[in-house]
């Protein structure tokens, strides 16, 4: 047996090695932040450059800002870059334990917000967003839903579907008249065969979250799209009218679930929708 207090060659040793590697990466990133602070590079730009190099291991924007302030307040070149010892604190917030806790919280309350999850787990909102994307959840009309149905979920829907169809036909499926037709085609969400869509597309998760922050601060959707979107086909993220079957699955599902909104006060997908093209923030301007 290995001496007490030391990790053997098994699972414990592997975890210890991974934690040391993570600490080494964070140390390097702080050194990069200090250097770019001397060069008077803004925190947002520092984070963008680091995201391109470190990918998912890159610290979030709030951490970059905190270290920039620390370097500016202290003496550059003399700050202690090492992690302070903290009892029981994990080296990374995206490990299996946190993924399990995030999934548990979402399944207990499908309306829970990222901010609430971050507060319960003591990690950043950006990290929560990343973990949610890894788990494969996305938000539809302020409710977290799994992208794929399990066999058990499919079995549960078999007896429910006929009941819903009967209720629909009884309560208004056969309604006639132009007013009823207009309400169905122009309703706030769902239904219809085509939607007028705008989106913001970014390959990197960090960049799409920066765009999300701009939208939440009140910036117009088309202006954020022009600044951040990597899809240059239409200025301002305008994709025009798109019909069912012409969009990739997750994108179409999210688009038809959104209510109609305007550029000044857009209702958009939060968190972004992940497809093979990257991360999308989607809004709908019309439905027919």
């Amino acid at each position: 047996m290995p001496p007490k207090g030391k990790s053997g060659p098994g699972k414990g040793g592997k975890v210890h090695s991974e934690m040391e590697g993570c600490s080494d990466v964070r140390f390097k990133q702080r050194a990069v932040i200090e250097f770019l602070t001397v060069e008077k590079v803004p925190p947002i730009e520092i984070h963008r450059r680091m995201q391109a190099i470190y990918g998912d291991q890159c610290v979030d924007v709030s951490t970059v800002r905190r270290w920039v302030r620390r370097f500016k307040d202290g003496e550059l070149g003399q700050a202690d870059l090492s992690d302070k010892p903290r009892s029981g604190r994990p080296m990374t917030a995206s490990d299996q334990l946190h993924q399990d806790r995030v999934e548990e919280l979402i399944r207990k309350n499908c309306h829970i917000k990222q901010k609430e999850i971050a507060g319960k787990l003591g990690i950043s909102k950006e990290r929560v967003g990343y973990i949610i994307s890894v788990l494969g959840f996305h938000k539809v009309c302020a409710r977290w839903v799994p992208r794929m149905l399990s066999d058990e979920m499919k079995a549960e829907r078999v007896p429910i579907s006929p009941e819903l169809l009967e209720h629909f036909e009884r309560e208004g499926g056969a309604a006639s008249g132009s007013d009823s037709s207009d309400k169905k085609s122009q309703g706030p969400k769902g239904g219809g065969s085509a939607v007028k869509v705008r989106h913001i597309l970014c390959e990197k998760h960090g960049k799409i979250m920066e765009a999300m922050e701009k939208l939440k601060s009140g910036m117009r959707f088309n202006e954020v799209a022009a600044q951040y979107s990597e899809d240059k086909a239409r200025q301002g993220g305008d994709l025009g009218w798109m019909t069912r079957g012409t969009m990739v699955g997750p994108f179409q599902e999210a688009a038809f679930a959104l209510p109609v909104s305007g550029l000044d006060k857009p209702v958009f997908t939060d968190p972004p929708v992940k497809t093979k093209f990257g991360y999308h923030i989607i809004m709908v301007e019309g439905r027919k």
Side-chain angles (χ1 to χ4, degrees):
M1 292 182 64
K4 187 177 181 180
K6 294 186 179 180
S7 298
K11 184 177 179 181
K14 181 180 179 181
V15 172
H16 181 70
S17 176
E18 290 176 351
M19 291 174 69
E20 286 184 340
C22 180
S23 179
D24 184 54
V25 171
R26 290 175 67 86
F27 183 88
K28 291 177 180 178
Q29 291 184 58
R30 289 170 186 171
V32 171
I33 295 170
E34 181 179 26
F35 174 78
L36 294 177
T37 300
V38 175
E39 296 291 315
K40 298 183 178 180
V41 179
I44 287 290
E45 177 63 17
I46 293 175
H47 182 261
R48 188 188 67 79
R49 295 187 190 181
M50 291 173 58
Q51 185 78 27
I53 301 299
Y54 295 103
D56 292 340
Q57 287 187 297
C58 181
V59 298
D60 54 47
V61 178
S62 61
T63 300
V64 173
R65 291 195 179 104
R66 185 172 67 251
W67 276 90
V68 168
R69 287 195 299 270
R70 179 172 175 178
F71 290 133
K72 286 183 177 179
D73 294 340
E75 295 184 13
L76 288 169
Q78 299 183 22
D80 181 8
L81 302 181
S82 61
D83 278 323
K84 299 291 184 279
R86 300 182 188 179
S87 174
R89 181 177 183 268
M91 296 302 293
T92 174
S94 58
D95 56 13
Q96 188 60 47
L97 176 62
H98 281 82
Q99 288 185 26
D100 293 343
R101 288 288 291 121
V102 170
E103 183 173 10
E104 179 184 352
L105 289 171
I106 290 175
R107 292 195 181 279
K108 283 184 177 179
N109 178 12
C110 59
H111 299 286
I112 194 170
K113 298 179 181 178
Q114 290 189 54
K115 184 177 180 181
E116 295 176 40
I117 297 175
K120 289 178 180 292
L121 302 186
I123 59 179
S124 69
K125 186 178 176 181
E126 289 80 6
R127 274 298 176 189
V128 173
Y130 169 72
I131 292 174
I132 288 172
S133 68
V134 170
L135 291 172
F137 285 96
H138 68 296
K139 186 168 274 189
V140 177
C141 299
R143 176 174 178 172
W144 294 109
V145 297
R147 290 183 183 277
M148 300 294 292
L149 294 176
S150 65
D151 291 338
E152 183 180 354
M153 293 176 178
K154 292 176 182 177
E156 290 176 352
R157 279 159 176 74
V158 172
I160 295 175
S161 296
E163 295 178 11
L164 293 176
L165 181 59
E166 181 182 353
H167 178 77
F168 171 75
E169 292 175 345
R170 183 175 65 251
E171 297 296 331
S176 60
S178 59
D179 289 343
S180 175
S181 177
D182 288 344
K183 287 180 181 178
K184 287 183 181 179
S185 63
Q186 301 296 333
K189 58 183 178 181
S193 60
V195 286
K196 191 173 187 296
V197 185
R198 285 184 186 264
H199 80 147
I200 300 168
L201 170 64
C202 298
E203 183 180 355
K204 299 292 185 180
H205 185 263
K207 186 175 181 181
I208 200 72
M209 294 310 294
E210 289 180 25
M212 183 77 73
E213 288 184 14
K214 294 290 185 180
L215 289 173
K216 291 181 178 180
S217 70
M219 193 170 175
R220 286 171 61 89
F221 192 96
N222 58 323
E223 294 174 356
V224 178
Q227 181 178 346
Y228 284 90
S229 184
E230 296 167 7
D231 179 7
K232 302 300 182 183
R234 302 277 184 93
Q235 191 70 9
D238 185 11
L239 296 177
W241 286 97
M242 302 189 73
T243 58
R244 292 184 185 272
T246 61
M247 298 167 273
V248 293
F251 188 103
Q252 176 172 289
E253 182 181 350
F256 277 94
L258 285 168
V260 175
S261 60
L263 296 176
D264 291 327
K265 294 183 179 179
V267 177
F268 48 83
T269 51
D270 181 11
V273 175
K274 180 73 166 63
T275 71
K276 62 182 180 180
F277 301 107
Y279 296 91
H280 307 258
I281 300 175
I282 308 166
M283 70 163 291
V284 170
E285 292 185 286
R287 186 186 307 278
K288 62 182 179 180

